[in-house]
Amino acid sequence: MATESGAKAKIIIQQCLSARLQVKPADDTPAEFVEVNRGIIVHICFLKGASEDILEKMVKSVLNVKLSESENDKLVSVLDLPGDVLIVPQATLGGKMKGKVMQYHSNIHKDEGMALYTSFTQQIQQTVENNAKTKEHNCQVKWGTYGNRQVLSVITNGPFTHCIEF
């Protein structure tokens, strides 16, 4: 069952000059971070009704949408830039305001969401690794930890942010 809008997943794509995501908070050991340079940040949330069937379309859309400015001021995809990709699990995208509080009844079960998130990150990584331009420029794919609170720092040349529903 999809949400009222029919969406099974939501993505926010933001271009960045650099980004840093804390993936493990400090405890007895120092905090752990992942970092990317120029490219895009992909905030992703899976909703009820989401399945592996939508992942290929999502991956192609994220990597091929022309959002980044090239050196000659043309819009190009992150693959053509070429640039890095940071994937951030963002369950709050599934929230709906009811009165003065947010509710997340549309979100997929955590275990299902984690499986889809893992598959999505693997497909993004594989596509970036197999692309000639991104491979030549040693572009990276990094991702956050599903189900945990994380701290994100971004330097952007926008904000140039877009929301896409699948």
Side-chain angles (χ1 to χ4, degrees):
M1 179 176 139
T3 63
E4 291 173 13
S5 69
K8 295 179 182 176
K10 290 183 181 181
I11 286 182
I12 291 180
I13 302 175
Q14 182 177 26
Q15 69 176 343
C16 70
L17 296 175
S18 66
R20 184 175 193 220
L21 181 68
Q22 180 181 316
V23 294
K24 183 178 177 266
D27 46 26
D28 294 337
T29 61
E32 293 179 22
F33 297 85
V34 293
E35 296 183 47
V36 295
N37 293 311
R38 187 169 183 210
I40 60 172
I41 302 167
V42 180
H43 302 265
I44 186 168
C45 175
F46 292 102
L47 306 171
K48 289 179 180 171
S51 66
E52 288 274 340
D53 299 345
I54 63 171
L55 292 182
E56 183 179 353
K57 179 180 180 182
M58 292 172 70
V59 168
K60 285 181 179 179
S61 297
V62 164
L63 295 177
N64 292 300
V65 65
K66 296 181 178 187
L67 295 178
S68 301
E69 292 177 2
S70 66
E71 291 175 4
N72 58 5
D73 293 330
K74 287 190 175 187
L75 291 179
V76 296
S77 72
V78 71
L79 294 176
D80 291 330
L81 188 55
D84 292 345
V85 179
L86 175 61
I87 306 166
V88 181
Q90 189 82 39
T92 58
L93 292 177
K96 184 175 181 184
M97 195 166 157
K98 184 170 183 181
K100 295 181 181 180
V101 297
M102 297 298 292
Q103 294 184 343
Y104 301 96
H105 301 300
S106 297
N107 286 13
I108 198 166
H109 186 272
K110 187 175 179 177
D111 292 339
E112 293 173 89
M114 185 170 200
L116 291 171
Y117 178 74
T118 300
S119 184
F120 179 81
T121 58
Q122 289 170 345
Q123 289 181 42
I124 292 278
Q125 184 173 29
Q126 183 177 24
T127 304
V128 169
E129 286 176 354
N130 292 333
N131 179 276
K133 275 190 175 182
T134 53
K135 190 175 194 175
E136 177 183 335
H137 287 87
N138 296 317
C139 293
Q140 302 180 76
V141 176
K142 302 288 183 172
W143 53 88
T145 309
Y146 191 86
N148 292 337
R149 184 177 294 233
Q150 299 163 89
V151 178
L152 175 64
S153 301
V154 178
I155 297 176
T156 182
N157 53 342
F160 203 67
T161 307
H162 300 276
C163 183
I164 305 169
E165 291 187 348
F166 293 89

